Coordinates of all heavy atoms in Angstrom, one line a residue:
M1 N 106.3 77.5 112.5 CA 105.7 77.0 113.6 C 106.6 76.0 114.3 O 107.0 75.0 113.7 CB 104.4 76.3 113.1 CG 103.5 75.8 114.2 SD 101.9 75.2 113.5 CE 101.9 73.7 114.3
L2 N 106.9 76.2 115.5 CA 107.9 75.3 116.2 C 107.2 74.8 117.5 O 106.7 75.5 118.3 CB 109.1 76.1 116.6 CG 110.2 75.4 117.4 CD1 110.7 74.2 116.6 CD2 111.3 76.4 117.7
A3 N 107.2 73.5 117.6 CA 106.7 72.8 118.8 C 105.4 73.3 119.3 O 105.2 73.6 120.4 CB 107.8 72.9 119.9
S4 N 104.4 73.3 118.3 CA 103.1 73.7 118.6 C 102.1 72.6 118.4 O 102.3 71.6 117.7 CB 102.7 74.9 117.7 OG 103.5 76.0 118.0
S5 N 100.9 72.7 119.0 CA 99.9 71.7 118.9 C 98.5 72.4 118.6 O 98.2 73.4 119.2 CB 99.7 71.0 120.2 OG 98.7 70.0 120.2
I6 N 97.8 71.8 117.6 CA 96.5 72.3 117.3 C 95.6 71.1 117.3 O 95.8 70.1 116.6 CB 96.5 73.0 115.9 CG1 97.4 74.1 115.8 CG2 95.0 73.4 115.5 CD1 97.5 74.8 114.5
A7 N 94.5 71.2 118.1 CA 93.6 70.1 118.2 C 92.1 70.6 118.1 O 91.8 71.7 118.5 CB 93.8 69.4 119.6
T8 N 91.3 69.7 117.6 CA 89.8 69.9 117.4 C 89.4 71.2 116.7 O 88.3 71.7 117.0 CB 89.1 69.8 118.8 OG1 89.5 70.8 119.7 CG2 89.4 68.4 119.5
A9 N 90.2 71.7 115.8 CA 89.9 72.8 115.0 C 89.0 72.4 113.9 O 89.1 71.3 113.3 CB 91.1 73.6 114.5
T10 N 88.1 73.2 113.4 CA 87.2 72.9 112.3 C 87.0 74.0 111.4 O 87.0 75.2 111.8 CB 85.8 72.6 112.9 OG1 85.9 71.5 113.8 CG2 84.8 72.2 111.8
A11 N 87.0 73.7 110.1 CA 86.8 74.7 109.0 C 85.6 74.2 108.2 O 85.5 73.0 107.9 CB 88.0 74.9 108.2
T12 N 84.8 75.2 107.8 CA 83.6 74.8 107.0 C 84.0 74.4 105.5 O 83.3 73.6 104.9 CB 82.6 75.9 106.9 OG1 83.2 77.1 106.4 CG2 82.0 76.1 108.3
V13 N 85.2 74.8 105.1 CA 85.6 74.4 103.7 C 86.9 73.7 103.7 O 87.0 72.5 103.6 CB 85.6 75.7 102.8 CG1 86.1 75.3 101.4 CG2 84.3 76.4 102.7
S14 N 88.0 74.4 103.9 CA 89.4 73.8 103.8 C 90.3 74.2 104.9 O 90.2 75.3 105.4 CB 90.0 74.3 102.5 OG 89.2 73.9 101.4
G15 N 91.2 73.3 105.3 CA 92.2 73.6 106.3 C 91.7 73.7 107.7 O 91.5 74.8 108.2
G16 N 91.3 72.5 108.3 CA 90.8 72.5 109.6 C 91.6 73.3 110.6 O 91.1 74.1 111.4
A17 N 92.9 73.1 110.6 CA 93.8 73.8 111.5 C 94.6 74.9 110.9 O 94.7 76.0 111.4 CB 94.9 72.8 112.1
I18 N 95.1 74.7 109.6 CA 95.8 75.7 108.9 C 95.4 75.8 107.4 O 95.3 74.8 106.8 CB 97.3 75.5 108.9 CG1 97.8 75.5 110.4 CG2 98.1 76.5 108.1 CD1 99.3 75.1 110.5
Y19 N 95.1 77.0 106.9 CA 94.8 77.2 105.5 C 95.9 78.2 105.0 O 95.9 79.3 105.4 CB 93.4 77.9 105.4 CG 93.0 78.2 104.0 CD1 92.3 77.2 103.2 CD2 93.3 79.4 103.4 CE1 91.9 77.5 101.9 CE2 92.9 79.7 102.1 CZ 92.2 78.7 101.4 OH 91.8 79.0 100.1
A20 N 96.8 77.7 104.2 CA 98.0 78.5 103.8 C 97.9 78.8 102.4 O 97.7 78.0 101.5 CB 99.3 77.7 104.0
V21 N 97.9 80.1 102.1 CA 97.9 80.7 100.7 C 99.0 81.7 100.5 O 99.1 82.6 101.4 CB 96.5 81.3 100.4 CG1 96.4 81.9 99.1 CG2 95.4 80.2 100.5
K22 N 99.7 81.6 99.4 CA 100.8 82.5 99.1 C 101.7 82.7 100.3 O 102.0 83.7 100.8 CB 100.2 83.9 98.7 CG 99.4 83.8 97.5 CD 98.9 85.2 97.1 CE 98.0 85.1 95.8 NZ 97.4 86.3 95.5
S23 N 102.3 81.5 100.7 CA 103.1 81.6 101.9 C 104.2 80.5 101.9 O 104.2 79.6 101.1 CB 102.3 81.4 103.2 OG 101.6 80.1 103.1
I24 N 105.2 80.7 102.7 CA 106.2 79.6 103.0 C 105.9 79.2 104.4 O 105.9 80.0 105.4 CB 107.6 80.1 102.8 CG1 107.9 80.5 101.4 CG2 108.6 79.1 103.3 CD1 109.2 81.2 101.2
L25 N 105.6 77.9 104.6 CA 105.3 77.4 106.0 C 106.2 76.3 106.4 O 106.4 75.3 105.7 CB 103.8 76.9 105.9 CG 103.3 76.2 107.1 CD1 103.2 77.3 108.3 CD2 101.9 75.7 106.8
N26 N 106.9 76.5 107.5 CA 107.8 75.6 108.1 C 107.1 75.1 109.4 O 106.9 75.9 110.3 CB 109.1 76.2 108.4 CG 109.8 76.5 107.1 OD1 110.0 75.7 106.2 ND2 110.2 77.8 107.0
I27 N 106.9 73.8 109.5 CA 106.4 73.2 110.7 C 107.4 72.2 111.3 O 107.8 71.2 110.6 CB 105.0 72.4 110.4 CG1 104.0 73.4 109.9 CG2 104.5 71.7 111.6 CD1 102.8 72.7 109.3
D28 N 107.8 72.4 112.5 CA 108.8 71.6 113.1 C 108.3 71.1 114.5 O 108.0 71.9 115.3 CB 110.2 72.3 113.3 CG 111.3 71.4 113.8 OD1 111.1 70.2 113.9 OD2 112.4 72.0 114.1
N29 N 108.2 69.8 114.6 CA 107.7 69.2 115.9 C 106.3 69.7 116.2 O 106.0 70.0 117.4 CB 108.7 69.6 117.0 CG 108.6 68.6 118.2 OD1 108.1 67.5 118.0 ND2 109.1 69.0 119.3
G30 N 105.5 69.7 115.2 CA 104.0 70.1 115.4 C 103.2 68.8 115.7 O 103.5 67.7 115.3
T31 N 102.1 69.1 116.3 CA 101.1 68.0 116.6 C 99.7 68.5 116.1 O 99.3 69.6 116.6 CB 101.0 67.6 118.1 OG1 102.3 67.2 118.5 CG2 100.0 66.5 118.3
F32 N 99.1 67.7 115.3 CA 97.8 68.1 114.7 C 96.8 66.9 115.1 O 97.0 65.8 114.5 CB 97.8 68.3 113.2 CG 98.7 69.4 112.9 CD1 100.0 69.3 112.7 CD2 98.1 70.7 112.7 CE1 100.9 70.3 112.3 CE2 98.9 71.8 112.3 CZ 100.3 71.6 112.2
T33 N 95.8 67.1 115.9 CA 95.0 66.0 116.4 C 93.5 66.4 116.3 O 93.1 67.5 116.7 CB 95.3 65.7 117.9 OG1 96.7 65.5 118.0 CG2 94.5 64.5 118.4
S34 N 92.7 65.5 115.7 CA 91.3 65.6 115.6 C 90.8 66.9 115.0 O 89.8 67.5 115.5 CB 90.7 65.4 117.0 OG 91.1 64.1 117.5
N35 N 91.4 67.3 113.9 CA 91.0 68.5 113.2 C 90.1 68.1 112.0 O 90.2 66.9 111.6 CB 92.2 69.3 112.7 CG 93.0 69.8 113.8 OD1 92.6 70.6 114.6 ND2 94.2 69.2 114.0
F36 N 89.2 69.0 111.5 CA 88.2 68.6 110.5 C 88.0 69.7 109.5 O 88.0 70.9 109.9 CB 86.9 68.2 111.1 CG 85.8 67.9 110.1 CD1 85.8 66.7 109.5 CD2 85.0 68.9 109.7 CE1 84.8 66.4 108.5 CE2 84.0 68.7 108.7 CZ 83.9 67.4 108.1
A37 N 87.9 69.3 108.2 CA 87.5 70.2 107.1 C 87.0 69.4 106.0 O 87.2 68.2 105.9 CB 88.7 71.1 106.7
N38 N 86.4 70.0 104.9 CA 86.0 69.3 103.7 C 87.2 68.8 103.0 O 87.3 67.7 102.5 CB 85.2 70.2 102.8 CG 83.8 70.3 103.3 OD1 83.2 69.5 104.0 ND2 83.1 71.4 102.9
D39 N 88.3 69.7 102.9 CA 89.5 69.3 102.2 C 90.7 69.7 103.2 O 90.7 70.8 103.6 CB 89.7 70.0 100.9 CG 88.7 69.6 99.9 OD1 88.4 68.4 99.8 OD2 88.1 70.5 99.2
G40 N 91.6 68.8 103.4 CA 92.7 69.1 104.3 C 92.3 69.2 105.8 O 92.2 70.3 106.3
G41 N 92.0 68.0 106.4 CA 91.5 68.0 107.8 C 92.4 68.9 108.7 O 91.8 69.6 109.5
A42 N 93.7 68.7 108.6 CA 94.6 69.5 109.4 C 95.2 70.7 108.7 O 95.3 71.8 109.2 CB 95.7 68.7 110.0
L43 N 95.6 70.5 107.4 CA 96.3 71.5 106.6 C 95.9 71.5 105.2 O 95.8 70.4 104.5 CB 97.8 71.1 106.7 CG 98.8 71.9 105.9 CD1 98.8 73.4 106.3 CD2 100.2 71.4 106.0
Y44 N 95.6 72.7 104.7 CA 95.3 72.9 103.3 C 96.3 73.9 102.7 O 96.6 75.0 103.3 CB 93.9 73.5 103.1 CG 93.6 73.8 101.6 CD1 92.9 72.9 100.8 CD2 94.0 75.1 101.1 CE1 92.6 73.3 99.5 CE2 93.7 75.4 99.8 CZ 93.0 74.5 99.0 OH 92.7 74.8 97.7
T45 N 97.0 73.6 101.6 CA 97.9 74.5 100.9 C 97.5 74.7 99.4 O 97.2 73.7 98.8 CB 99.3 74.1 101.0 OG1 99.6 73.0 100.2 CG2 99.7 73.8 102.4
G46 N 97.6 75.9 98.9 CA 97.3 76.1 97.6 C 98.5 75.9 96.7 O 99.5 75.4 97.1
P47 N 98.4 76.2 95.4 CA 99.4 75.9 94.4 C 100.7 76.6 94.5 O 101.8 76.2 94.0 CB 98.8 76.1 93.0 CG 97.7 77.1 93.3 CD 97.2 76.8 94.7
A48 N 100.8 77.8 95.1 CA 102.0 78.6 95.2 C 102.7 78.5 96.5 O 103.7 79.2 96.7 CB 101.6 80.1 94.9
E49 N 102.4 77.5 97.3 CA 103.0 77.4 98.7 C 104.2 76.5 98.7 O 104.3 75.6 97.9 CB 101.9 76.9 99.7 CG 101.0 77.9 100.1 CD 100.1 78.5 99.0 OE1 99.5 77.8 98.3 OE2 100.2 79.7 98.8
I50 N 105.0 76.8 99.6 CA 106.2 75.9 99.9 C 106.0 75.5 101.4 O 105.9 76.4 102.3 CB 107.5 76.6 99.7 CG1 107.7 77.0 98.2 CG2 108.7 75.7 100.2 CD1 108.9 77.8 97.9
V51 N 105.9 74.2 101.6 CA 105.6 73.7 103.0 C 106.7 72.7 103.3 O 106.9 71.7 102.6 CB 104.2 73.1 103.1 CG1 104.0 72.6 104.5 CG2 103.2 74.1 102.7
N52 N 107.3 72.9 104.5 CA 108.3 71.9 105.0 C 107.8 71.4 106.4 O 107.6 72.2 107.3 CB 109.7 72.6 105.2 CG 110.2 73.1 103.9 OD1 110.4 72.3 103.0 ND2 110.4 74.4 103.8
I53 N 107.6 70.1 106.5 CA 107.1 69.5 107.8 C 108.2 68.5 108.3 O 108.6 67.6 107.5 CB 105.8 68.8 107.5 CG1 104.7 69.8 107.0 CG2 105.3 68.1 108.8 CD1 103.5 69.1 106.5
T54 N 108.6 68.7 109.5 CA 109.6 67.9 110.1 C 109.2 67.4 111.5 O 108.7 68.2 112.3 CB 111.0 68.7 110.2 OG1 111.3 69.2 108.9 CG2 112.1 67.8 110.7
K55 N 109.4 66.2 111.8 CA 109.2 65.6 113.1 C 107.8 66.0 113.7 O 107.7 66.4 114.9 CB 110.3 66.0 114.1 CG 111.7 65.6 113.7 CD 112.7 66.1 114.7 CE 114.1 65.8 114.1 NZ 115.2 66.5 114.9
S56 N 106.8 65.8 112.9 CA 105.5 66.2 113.3 C 104.5 65.0 113.4 O 104.8 64.0 112.7 CB 104.9 67.3 112.4 OG 105.7 68.4 112.5
L57 N 103.4 65.1 114.1 CA 102.4 64.1 114.3 C 101.1 64.6 113.8 O 100.6 65.6 114.2 CB 102.3 63.7 115.7 CG 101.2 62.7 116.1 CD1 101.3 61.4 115.4 CD2 101.1 62.6 117.6
F58 N 100.5 63.8 112.9 CA 99.1 64.0 112.4 C 98.3 62.8 112.8 O 98.4 61.7 112.3 CB 99.1 64.2 110.9 CG 99.8 65.4 110.4 CD1 101.2 65.5 110.3 CD2 99.1 66.6 110.1 CE1 101.8 66.6 109.8 CE2 99.7 67.7 109.7 CZ 101.1 67.8 109.5
N59 N 97.4 63.0 113.8 CA 96.7 61.9 114.4 C 95.2 62.2 114.4 O 94.7 63.2 115.0 CB 97.2 61.7 115.8 CG 96.5 60.6 116.5 OD1 96.4 59.5 116.0 ND2 96.0 60.8 117.7
G60 N 94.4 61.4 113.8 CA 92.9 61.4 113.9 C 92.3 62.6 113.2 O 91.2 63.1 113.7
N61 N 92.9 63.2 112.2 CA 92.3 64.3 111.5 C 91.4 63.7 110.4 O 91.5 62.6 109.9 CB 93.4 65.1 110.8 CG 94.3 65.7 111.9 OD1 94.0 66.6 112.6 ND2 95.5 65.1 112.0
N62 N 90.3 64.5 110.0 CA 89.3 64.0 109.1 C 88.9 65.1 108.1 O 88.8 66.2 108.4 CB 88.0 63.6 109.8 CG 88.2 62.3 110.7 OD1 88.3 61.2 110.1 ND2 88.4 62.5 112.0
A63 N 88.8 64.6 106.8 CA 88.3 65.5 105.8 C 87.1 64.7 105.1 O 87.2 63.5 104.8 CB 89.4 65.8 104.8
T64 N 86.1 65.4 104.7 CA 85.0 64.9 104.0 C 85.4 64.4 102.6 O 85.0 63.3 102.2 CB 83.8 65.9 103.9 OG1 83.5 66.4 105.2 CG2 82.6 65.3 103.2
N65 N 86.2 65.2 102.0 CA 86.6 64.9 100.6 C 88.1 64.5 100.4 O 88.3 63.3 100.3 CB 86.3 66.1 99.7 CG 84.9 66.5 99.6 OD1 84.0 65.6 99.4 ND2 84.6 67.7 99.7
L66 N 89.0 65.4 100.5 CA 90.4 65.2 100.1 C 91.4 65.5 101.2 O 91.3 66.5 101.8 CB 90.8 66.1 98.9 CG 89.9 66.0 97.7 CD1 90.2 67.1 96.7 CD2 89.9 64.6 97.0
G67 N 92.3 64.5 101.5 CA 93.3 64.7 102.4 C 92.9 64.8 103.9 O 92.7 65.8 104.4
G68 N 92.8 63.6 104.5 CA 92.4 63.6 105.9 C 93.3 64.4 106.8 O 92.9 65.1 107.7
A69 N 94.6 64.3 106.6 CA 95.6 65.2 107.3 C 96.0 66.4 106.5 O 95.9 67.5 107.0 CB 96.8 64.4 107.7
I70 N 96.4 66.2 105.2 CA 96.9 67.3 104.4 C 96.3 67.2 103.0 O 96.4 66.1 102.4 CB 98.4 67.2 104.3 CG1 99.1 67.3 105.6 CG2 99.0 68.3 103.3 CD1 100.6 67.1 105.7
Y71 N 95.9 68.3 102.5 CA 95.6 68.5 101.1 C 96.6 69.5 100.6 O 96.6 70.6 101.1 CB 94.2 68.9 100.8 CG 94.0 69.3 99.3 CD1 93.8 68.3 98.3 CD2 94.2 70.6 98.9 CE1 93.7 68.7 97.0 CE2 94.2 71.0 97.5 CZ 93.9 70.0 96.6 OH 93.9 70.3 95.3
S72 N 97.3 69.2 99.5 CA 98.2 70.2 98.9 C 98.2 70.2 97.4 O 98.3 69.2 96.8 CB 99.6 69.9 99.4 OG 100.5 70.9 98.9
A73 N 98.1 71.5 96.9 CA 98.3 71.7 95.5 C 99.7 72.3 95.2 O 100.1 72.6 94.1 CB 97.2 72.6 94.9
G74 N 100.5 72.5 96.3 CA 101.8 73.1 96.2 C 102.9 72.1 96.5 O 102.8 70.9 96.3
N75 N 104.0 72.7 96.9 CA 105.3 71.9 97.1 C 105.4 71.6 98.6 O 105.6 72.5 99.4 CB 106.5 72.7 96.6 CG 107.8 71.9 96.8 OD1 107.8 70.8 97.3 ND2 108.8 72.6 96.4
V76 N 105.3 70.3 99.0 CA 105.3 69.9 100.4 C 106.5 68.9 100.5 O 106.6 67.9 99.8 CB 104.0 69.2 100.8 CG1 104.2 68.8 102.3 CG2 102.9 70.2 100.7
T77 N 107.3 69.1 101.5 CA 108.4 68.2 101.9 C 108.1 67.7 103.3 O 108.0 68.6 104.2 CB 109.8 68.9 101.8 OG1 110.0 69.4 100.5 CG2 110.9 67.9 102.1
I78 N 108.1 66.4 103.5 CA 107.8 65.9 104.8 C 108.9 64.9 105.2 O 109.3 64.0 104.5 CB 106.4 65.1 104.8 CG1 105.3 66.0 104.4 CG2 106.2 64.4 106.2 CD1 104.0 65.3 104.0
T79 N 109.5 65.2 106.4 CA 110.6 64.4 106.9 C 110.3 63.9 108.4 O 109.8 64.7 109.2 CB 111.9 65.3 106.9 OG1 112.1 65.8 105.6 CG2 113.1 64.4 107.3
S80 N 110.5 62.7 108.6 CA 110.5 62.1 110.0 C 109.2 62.4 110.7 O 109.2 62.9 111.9 CB 111.7 62.6 110.8 OG 112.9 62.2 110.2
S81 N 108.1 62.3 110.0 CA 106.8 62.6 110.6 C 105.9 61.3 110.6 O 106.1 60.4 109.9 CB 106.1 63.7 109.8 OG 106.9 64.9 109.9
I82 N 104.9 61.4 111.5 CA 104.0 60.2 111.7 C 102.5 60.6 111.3 O 102.0 61.7 111.8 CB 104.0 59.7 113.1 CG1 105.4 59.2 113.5 CG2 103.0 58.7 113.4 CD1 105.6 58.9 115.0
F83 N 101.9 59.8 110.5 CA 100.5 59.9 110.2 C 99.7 58.7 110.6 O 100.1 57.6 110.2 CB 100.3 60.1 108.6 CG 100.9 61.4 108.1 CD1 102.3 61.5 107.9 CD2 100.1 62.4 107.8 CE1 102.9 62.6 107.4 CE2 100.7 63.6 107.3 CZ 102.0 63.7 107.1
Q84 N 98.7 58.9 111.5 CA 98.0 57.7 112.0 C 96.5 58.1 112.2 O 96.2 59.2 112.7 CB 98.6 57.2 113.3 CG 98.7 58.1 114.4 CD 99.5 57.6 115.6 OE1 100.2 56.6 115.5 NE2 99.3 58.2 116.8
F85 N 95.7 57.2 111.8 CA 94.2 57.3 112.1 C 93.6 58.5 111.4 O 92.6 59.1 112.0 CB 93.9 57.3 113.6 CG 94.5 56.1 114.3 CD1 95.5 56.3 115.3 CD2 94.2 54.8 114.0 CE1 96.1 55.3 115.9 CE2 94.8 53.7 114.6 CZ 95.8 53.9 115.6
N86 N 94.1 59.0 110.3 CA 93.5 60.1 109.6 C 92.5 59.5 108.6 O 92.8 58.4 108.1 CB 94.6 60.9 108.9 CG 95.5 61.5 109.9 OD1 95.2 62.4 110.6 ND2 96.8 61.0 109.9
K87 N 91.4 60.2 108.2 CA 90.4 59.7 107.3 C 90.0 60.7 106.3 O 89.8 61.9 106.7 CB 89.2 59.2 108.1 CG 89.5 58.1 109.1 CD 88.2 57.7 109.8 CE 88.5 56.7 110.9 NZ 87.3 56.4 111.7
A88 N 89.7 60.3 105.1 CA 89.1 61.1 104.0 C 88.6 60.2 102.9 O 89.0 59.0 102.8 CB 90.1 62.1 103.5
Y89 N 87.7 60.8 102.1 CA 87.2 60.0 101.0 C 88.3 59.6 100.0 O 88.4 58.5 99.5 CB 86.1 60.8 100.3 CG 85.5 60.1 99.1 CD1 84.6 59.1 99.3 CD2 85.8 60.5 97.8 CE1 84.0 58.4 98.2 CE2 85.3 59.8 96.7 CZ 84.4 58.8 96.9 OH 83.8 58.1 95.9
N90 N 89.2 60.6 99.8 CA 90.5 60.3 98.9 C 91.7 60.8 99.7 O 91.7 62.0 100.1 CB 90.4 61.1 97.6 CG 89.5 60.5 96.6 OD1 89.5 59.3 96.4 ND2 88.7 61.3 96.0
G91 N 92.6 60.0 99.9 CA 93.9 60.3 100.6 C 93.7 60.4 102.1 O 93.6 61.5 102.6
S92 N 93.6 59.3 102.8 CA 93.4 59.4 104.2 C 94.5 60.2 105.0 O 94.1 60.8 105.9 CB 93.3 57.9 104.8 OG 94.5 57.2 104.5
A93 N 95.7 60.1 104.5 CA 96.8 60.9 105.2 C 97.0 62.2 104.3 O 96.9 63.3 104.8 CB 98.0 60.1 105.3
I94 N 97.3 62.0 103.0 CA 97.7 63.1 102.2 C 97.1 62.9 100.8 O 97.1 61.9 100.2 CB 99.3 63.1 102.0 CG1 100.0 63.2 103.3 CG2 99.7 64.3 101.1 CD1 101.5 63.0 103.2
C95 N 96.6 64.1 100.3 CA 96.1 64.1 98.9 C 96.8 65.3 98.3 O 96.8 66.4 98.7 CB 94.6 64.4 98.9 SG 94.0 64.4 97.2
A96 N 97.6 65.0 97.2 CA 98.4 66.0 96.5 C 97.9 66.1 95.1 O 97.8 65.1 94.4 CB 99.8 65.7 96.6
D97 N 97.7 67.4 94.6 CA 97.4 67.6 93.2 C 98.7 68.1 92.5 O 99.5 68.8 93.0 CB 96.4 68.7 93.1 CG 95.0 68.2 93.1 OD1 94.8 67.0 92.8 OD2 94.0 68.9 93.4

């Protein structure tokens, strides 16, 4: 995903904007704003995923339970990214298992 924006997406369970399973996900210069889910307001990744996030903005995402911006049970590398105003019961920006 290159220079993309996802805003106001909602999921009833996990991954408001992106739910990644059995994948390699590269996000470069992405913007995630005001997304919502129970776990992973903007992004949810399972245990077998590889996720690389670079120069991205996570702003105002919300999760009822885990990871206001990101919930991950996999391998996530984050570089030069901004997390602001994200909310969750556990891990307002990131919750990792």
Side-chain angles (χ1 to χ4, degrees):
M1 186 173 128
L2 179 61
S4 296
S5 179
I6 301 175
T8 66
T10 300
T12 56
V13 180
S14 301
I18 297 174
Y19 180 90
V21 175
K22 298 181 183 177
S23 60
I24 297 173
L25 178 61
N26 294 304
I27 299 170
D28 187 8
N29 204 18
T31 301
F32 297 86
T33 306
S34 301
N35 299 292
F36 176 82
N38 284 337
D39 296 317
L43 173 63
Y44 174 96
T45 70
E49 282 59 58
I50 297 172
V51 179
N52 299 299
I53 300 170
T54 306
K55 298 178 188 170
S56 294
L57 171 65
F58 292 81
N59 181 50
N61 299 288
N62 290 282
T64 306
N65 297 314
L66 306 172
I70 298 171
Y71 170 84
S72 178
N75 182 359
V76 177
T77 302
I78 301 168
T79 307
S80 302
S81 295
I82 297 171
F83 292 81
Q84 59 188 19
F85 310 115
N86 300 289
K87 296 179 185 177
Y89 182 74
N90 284 317
S92 60
I94 301 167
C95 183
D97 271 339

